Amino acid sequence: MAKLIQAIRGMNDILPEQTPYWQYVESIFRQLMQSYGYQEIRMPIVENTALFKRSIGEVTDIVEKEMYTFEDRNGDSLTLRPEGTACCVRAAMQHGMLHNQTQRLWYSGPMFRHERPQKGRYRQFHQFGVETFGLAGPDIDAELILMSNRLWQLLGMGDDVVLELNSLGSSEARQQYREVLVKYFEAHQPELDEDSQRRLHTNPLRILDSKNPDMQRLNENAPKLIDHLDDESKQEFETLCKILDDAGVNYKINPRLVRGLDYYSKTVFEWVTDKLGAQGTVCAGGRFDGLVEQLGGKATPAMGFALGLERLIELIEIPQDKQKENNLDVYFVLMGDAAISKGIPLAEKWRSALPGLKLQVNCGGGSIKSQMKKADKSGAEVAFILGDEEIEKNVIAVKFLREKKEQEIIEMDNIPGYLSKKI
Ligand code: ATP
Ligand code: MG
């Protein structure tokens, strides 16, 4: 026998027993976006490689080592999107959506990064993303944070995540801070790990983001960006904190929160959990005022966040009533050829009469015993049984699969009325 072909490592199938979780969070998210007046945008999964190099930054983990980049048949360099922000900016610019107008957008879909697969870290993973354009904050910054906070409440995981907040300041302030930081790390050069040595002159802020415990002490004592903010950023950060205080949202200011991508400025935030081991960031976002210009457009303030669905789904339970939503109402047992001919059109008629009805018709025949076994396994509440005797009398026999109740005989014409009381 030929060897079975397996899925790519780090790229997962989402099987029927898991899809209810996905559908549940997708429906909550959609509802949330509607309630804040955000519109959905859908971008392609593949983009020109240059888009990510120019936006995310050449010396970031994503661009240095995580992108799925390939040459297509024309010799163009293409990349499977590692994130959505750059794609969203590209699309919004290309379609003239940023000219003298504001946008509040959302998207969802798969992202691709060649990382070492482990729990909470995959090579194909899924994000919900929200991006706003033309709004300078801090009001919109607060809106996005409150919106993510509302999502945790809706999903019943409010106690599992905490908000970490920082401001990266203007790019000038960051440039000045960068010099202070490089001086500090240069004075401690022997203590730097290999990654940090490499980043010292390319992307020193990222050293602060190091996950290496040996770097912890050095990073804790490093000069803090928040002490080097420009006045405008400082003011805006204070206003944001005040709105969050007034709204009763708890947060922790984390001066080492710098985010892994180059395009962030001013407000950055993460929602983190201690319930998922090392992969603790569920949602991350920030302001990226420079990105539109960096990609060739007119300077446009922008702010967004993205959350990882795989990590989110690890943290939630589906409420009981929602769990039942996917269950079948009826499994339709058909005994013999006459029942098959009559039953299939009948099922169609009932589905038309009752759009909410979830009814599965037995296919492939079988004895009453084997069909009833399938009915039980289907999860349906009741089995409808149609055989020669029922056809003769123009009735359906109804057997209760989940309750101890006597079988009922219902006139065929009364079935829609009977069902409408049940569902
Ligand atoms: P991390 O520090 O965990 O690598 P990141 O900073 O690279 O995260 P972002 O680019 O900000 O992550 O993406 C936003 C969210 O997407 C993350 O907070 C996380 O929930 C999710 N995410 C990122 N990379 C992966 C991955 N490889 N597998 C699963 N989820 C991911
Ligand atoms: Mg990463």
Side-chain angles (χ1 to χ4, degrees), residues 264-371:
Y264 286 109
S265 59
K266 293 190 174 169
T267 306
V268 288
F269 69 96
E270 286 190 358
W271 287 95
V272 296
T273 179
D274 57 10
K275 301 226 153 52
L276 297 177
Q279 271 52 258
T281 307
V282 179
C283 171
R287 186 154 277 290
F288 48 99
D289 291 344
L291 183 56
V292 174
E293 199 174 14
Q294 204 173 309
L295 288 172
K298 215 175 99 196
T300 306
M303 166 84 181
F305 67 75
L307 60 93
L309 278 177
E310 282 78 1
R311 294 183 195 177
L312 183 69
I313 281 170
E314 287 274 333
L315 294 173
I316 62 153
E317 296 286 339
I318 307 184
Q320 285 278 325
D321 53 329
K322 294 277 170 200
Q323 268 176 34
K324 281 203 163 155
E325 253 172 31
N326 281 327
N327 286 2
L328 282 177
D329 301 309
V330 180
Y331 190 89
F332 198 8
V333 170
L334 301 175
M335 296 303 305
D337 289 343
I340 291 171
S341 313
K342 189 158 175 77
I344 292 176
L346 256 182
E348 288 301 315
K349 221 164 103 185
W350 296 334
R351 288 193 188 99
S352 302
L354 295 161
L357 176 65
K358 286 168 288 190
L359 174 147
Q360 190 164 74
V361 173
N362 183 79
C363 284
S367 66
I368 182 82
K369 201 170 155 205
S370 84
Q371 290 198 40

Side-chain angles (χ1 to χ4, degrees), residues 16-222:
E17 71 235 34
Q18 297 164 312
T19 47
Y21 285 86
W22 290 75
Q23 290 167 354
Y24 173 60
V25 296
E26 281 158 6
S27 74
I28 298 268
F29 189 74
R30 211 171 277 272
Q31 211 178 301
L32 180 75
M33 291 301 109
Q34 270 169 2
S35 74
Y36 282 80
Y38 284 58
Q39 292 176 297
E40 185 182 6
I41 181 167
R42 301 186 185 197
M43 298 84 65
I45 282 169
V46 183
E47 299 270 0
N48 279 304
T49 304
L51 174 65
F52 303 114
K53 287 201 172 164
R54 249 161 83 182
S55 57
I56 298 171
E58 297 264 5
V59 285
T60 55
D61 282 354
I62 293 182
V63 172
E64 274 180 343
K65 49 190 188 202
E66 295 174 1
M67 292 206 305
Y68 278 93
T69 296
F70 61 97
E71 231 179 57
D72 82 347
R73 288 172 194 273
N74 305 327
D76 297 330
S77 179
L78 306 184
T79 294
L80 297 184
R81 63 181 187 196
E83 55 117 37
T85 303
C87 314
C88 185
V89 170
R90 198 258 323 126
M93 281 166 61
Q94 185 174 335
H95 300 287
M97 294 164 67
L98 303 183
H99 189 65
N100 288 337
Q101 50 194 315
T102 61
Q103 295 290 348
R104 286 161 143 113
L105 305 172
W106 69 272
Y107 56 82
S108 106
M111 306 294 160
F112 303 85
R113 297 183 194 175
H114 196 274
E115 303 200 64
R116 192 170 68 78
Q118 54 198 288
K119 187 170 165 344
R121 194 174 290 288
Y122 309 100
R123 290 180 172 173
Q124 172 173 332
F125 62 98
H126 298 77
Q127 284 185 341
F128 282 140
V130 175
E131 318 286 3
T132 68
F133 298 98
L135 299 163
D139 45 6
I140 189 73
D141 300 10
E143 174 169 299
L144 290 186
I145 291 172
L146 292 172
M147 169 196 278
S148 50
N149 181 58
R150 182 173 296 277
L151 180 62
W152 318 137
Q153 309 306 322
L154 291 172
L155 290 170
M157 50 176 272
D159 294 338
D160 294 339
V161 283
V162 295
L163 174 62
E164 297 195 354
L165 207 58
N166 194 19
S167 174
L168 302 181
S170 66
S171 65
E172 298 78 39
R174 214 157 49 251
Q175 195 55 39
Q176 277 172 20
Y177 169 70
R178 187 188 152 117
E179 283 164 29
V180 176
L181 192 66
V182 169
K183 275 211 189 89
Y184 168 80
F185 282 128
E186 274 175 348
H188 295 85
Q189 196 141 9
E191 296 161 60
L192 295 180
D193 66 6
E194 204 186 307
D195 268 346
S196 306
Q197 294 276 4
R198 195 164 44 86
R199 287 183 176 137
L200 182 55
H201 294 287
T202 54
N203 197 349
L205 264 69
R206 281 299 313 282
I207 299 178
L208 298 173
D209 198 28
S210 168
K211 301 206 163 79
N212 180 353
D214 296 341
M215 289 292 298
Q216 188 121 14
R217 200 192 53 82
L218 195 60
N219 277 338
E220 261 163 29
N221 295 327

